[in-house]
Amino acid sequence: MVASHDQDCGQESQKLLEKEPKCRSDSCWSWLVCVASTIIVIIVSGIMYSFGLLLPPLMENFGASRQSTAWIGSLNLGFGYVSSPLGSLISDRFSHRVTAIVGALAGITGFSLASLSPKLWMMYPTYGLLSGFGHRMIYNACMVAIVDYFVKRLSLAVGIMASASAIGMLVITQVTQGLLDTIGWQGTLRGFAGFYLLCGLCSLVFVPVDRSNNNKGSMVADKKAEEKGDLSLLRNRPFLVLLSSFMVVNLSFYVPTVHIIKHCEQELNISGDKASMLFIYLAIASFFSRHFFCKLGEFRRHFNRFHLYQGGMTISGLCVIFLPSAASYGSVIAIFIVIGFMEGSSMGQISLLLLKCVKQSQFNQAWGYLSFFIGVTVSIGPPLAGMMADKLGSYAIPFYSAGAVLIAGASIISLMPCVKQQTDSEEEEEEVQFVKEEFLVTERITAL
């Protein structure tokens, strides 16, 4: 009975989707979706990077330690990542538009309630869990939608989307600092809720993609991938290597951005306003790097995307290790510029790296799994670094450790040549065999 009810619900939702207006891949509407998605990513990514600016005023207002306050941002990141499979399920069952709208409503509710929190722990379920869920639902809907809406111009579209995060870091962090200076942290959170309302409105352009013109082989491949089920991803060795690398890398990836403001104020005697300018330099470098690495990876004869990722994260790790040795504001700027430029090797081409490990028909599920496991580690790193800084009275050891972890995570990708990837010819042979079997069954049924 339950299975029958679920099947009926699935059929009804599918019928509703079929009645909606649709667009073709690489069409003018696809670029409208790209523009809307870019605006959304600018907002949600910028708000995510702005937590480092909120850390000092929250600590001062609640009289809390760095560790307990950093848990708010880590829960926001971690729970959002962990809930990504639910977002993939909603997108598969309904649409990317529904997923984004659900995320916008969650973000509006979370930030609004967080602004009313009289105690720090109340921000854990509001800012941390609810808003984190909303952020990841919207972000995932945009990233997965871009892969659906583009084929020929996919690298360009992904580069634009990836650069949106850098623009958000550049623009929204400065807006956040201005809001903090004028209306305080509570008014700033209410402003975040308003931004999420704009995200919900932008997501209304996410109409389904018309795949009626797809060739038979692609349709059969999608059907075959669905029949194999989710377990096929967990047996995909290239995907598991990429997943392991990203899990380790993201354990410390956000440590510098979360703690740099407090580090500058405490150990370098740099004001918070001046330290917040570091995000401008980081954002500008990240903006150009995300375009650069997406484009560089297209020259397959000369550059391997996995090698670009490994090299970029290794250099980032070295920069984080050198961060405690930076004794002046200018040296910190130089380090952050390099970190920002190397960011494109990871976050800039993450969807393209994933597509080299899985088929496009599996991308939505693979993205959900990748985000889920990243969330487990990303929620641990910043609070752990904060706890170490509280115990030791300095950020030196936390930054040394974070840099070493980044380098270790990047080195895992060296295992990629050791695992066997399915070649395009093997995939085509399997699809042809599946088509033959399907035709054979059809002919037998017709004969009967």
Side-chain angles (χ1 to χ4, degrees):
M1 294 292 290
V2 175
S4 176
H5 176 70
D6 291 342
Q7 185 177 5
D8 292 340
C9 291
Q11 291 176 352
E12 289 177 3
S13 62
Q14 185 65 28
K15 290 179 181 179
L16 290 175
L17 289 176
E18 290 175 355
K19 293 180 181 179
E20 286 189 277
K22 297 183 178 181
C23 74
R24 297 188 305 274
S25 299
D26 296 295
S27 64
C28 293
W29 193 272
S30 298
W31 287 109
L32 177 62
V33 171
C34 184
V35 171
S37 299
T38 300
I39 295 173
I40 291 173
V41 173
I42 287 173
I43 292 173
V44 298
S45 296
I47 290 176
M48 179 196 69
Y49 281 110
S50 296
F51 182 74
L53 300 172
L54 286 166
L55 188 65
L58 290 178
M59 290 176 61
E60 180 181 354
N61 182 81
F62 294 107
S65 66
R66 278 170 288 203
Q67 178 190 2
S68 58
T69 310
W71 267 111
I72 300 172
S74 291
L75 286 173
N76 183 278
L77 280 171
F79 186 73
Y81 275 116
V82 169
S83 60
S84 291
L86 177 59
S88 298
L89 179 63
I90 296 174
S91 292
D92 285 337
R93 189 70 176 271
F94 299 101
S95 66
H96 301 312
R97 178 167 56 187
V98 172
T99 306
I101 291 175
V102 169
L105 293 175
I108 292 170
T109 305
F111 285 123
S112 298
L113 293 177
S115 68
L116 304 174
S117 301
K119 296 184 179 180
L120 182 69
W121 68 265
M122 293 183 179
M123 298 191 72
Y124 293 158
T126 53
Y127 190 114
L129 301 183
L130 197 54
S131 297
F133 172 79
H135 162 252
R136 189 48 53 173
M137 291 301 100
I138 299 176
Y139 184 84
N140 286 357
C142 293
M143 295 304 296
V144 176
I146 285 297
V147 175
D148 285 345
Y149 279 95
F150 289 91
V151 177
K152 296 179 181 179
R153 302 293 182 183
L154 179 59
S155 293
L156 176 60
V158 169
I160 294 173
M161 283 283 296
S163 298
S165 296
I167 298 174
M169 190 192 312
L170 174 66
V171 176
I172 303 300
T173 53
Q174 299 309 305
V175 172
T176 300
Q177 187 63 54
L179 292 174
L180 288 171
D181 293 338
T182 54
I183 57 179
W185 67 268
Q186 292 174 312
T188 300
L189 295 186
R190 295 184 187 116
F192 288 172
F195 281 137
Y196 267 66
L197 175 60
L198 177 60
C199 292
L201 296 176
C202 289
S203 66
L204 295 177
V205 302
F206 291 176
V207 300
V209 180
D210 185 3
R211 301 189 180 281
S212 59
N213 294 329
N214 284 10
N215 58 50
K216 177 102 175 152
S218 298
M219 295 172 65
V220 170
D222 291 345
K223 181 178 179 181
K224 180 182 175 185
E226 291 175 3
E227 291 180 355
K228 285 184 176 180
D230 296 349
L231 291 177
S232 61
L233 285 174
L234 302 181
R235 293 194 296 264
N236 184 324
R237 286 174 290 181
F239 171 70
L240 293 178
V241 170
L242 182 67
L243 174 63
S244 301
S245 178
F246 266 94
M247 284 182 65
V248 177
V249 162
N250 280 273
L251 185 64
S252 59
F253 186 82
Y254 293 100
V255 168
T257 55
V258 170
H259 291 284
I260 189 61
I261 302 296
K262 194 63 179 177
H263 169 68
C264 289
E265 290 180 341
Q266 175 181 305
E267 302 182 27
L268 299 178
N269 295 320
I270 298 173
S271 66
D273 290 342
K274 189 175 181 180
S276 68
M277 297 296 291
L278 290 171
F279 289 103
I280 295 180
Y281 300 107
L282 182 70
I284 293 174
S286 179
F287 173 81
F288 289 106
S289 75
R290 294 182 184 225
H291 275 296
F292 176 74
F293 280 102
C294 284
K295 190 65 179 178
L296 195 63
E298 292 183 357
F299 300 97
R300 300 178 182 178
R301 293 184 178 181
H302 306 286
F303 300 100
N304 183 295
R305 289 199 183 275
F306 295 115
H307 293 164
L308 294 175
Y309 160 72
Q310 183 179 10
M313 288 300 95
T314 300
I315 295 174
S316 292
L318 292 173
C319 288
V320 177
I321 290 175
F322 290 140
L323 196 55
S325 303
S328 65
Y329 183 59
S331 57
V332 176
I333 290 176
I335 289 175
F336 256 62
I337 288 175
V338 177
I339 291 176
F341 192 77
M342 292 300 107
E343 192 177 69
S345 67
S346 174
M347 295 301 156
Q349 56 173 359
I350 182 172
S351 57
L352 299 175
L353 289 170
L354 188 56
L355 281 173
K356 290 182 72 67
C357 298
V358 302
K359 301 174 186 177
Q360 185 167 347
S361 59
Q362 298 175 306
F363 182 82
N364 193 17
Q365 294 175 348
W367 184 272
Y369 279 126
L370 183 67
S371 299
F372 174 85
F373 288 104
I374 287 177
V376 175
T377 56
V378 79
S379 60
I380 298 174
L384 183 59
M387 181 185 69
M388 294 172 66
D390 287 335
K391 298 291 185 182
L392 301 173
S394 169
Y395 276 107
I397 299 300
F399 284 152
Y400 291 148
S401 303
V405 169
L406 273 173
I407 295 173
S411 65
I412 295 176
I413 212 69
S414 300
L415 298 174
M416 194 64 75
C418 302
V419 296
K420 184 178 183 298
Q421 288 183 268
Q422 186 182 40
T423 63
D424 293 337
S425 59
E426 290 175 340
E427 182 178 331
E428 290 175 1
E429 289 177 3
E430 288 188 4
E431 290 175 7
V432 170
Q433 182 64 26
F434 187 80
V435 172
K436 289 180 179 179
E437 293 176 358
E438 186 182 57
F439 286 162
L440 182 59
V441 171
T442 303
E443 290 175 359
R444 289 179 177 176
I445 293 175
T446 304
L448 289 175

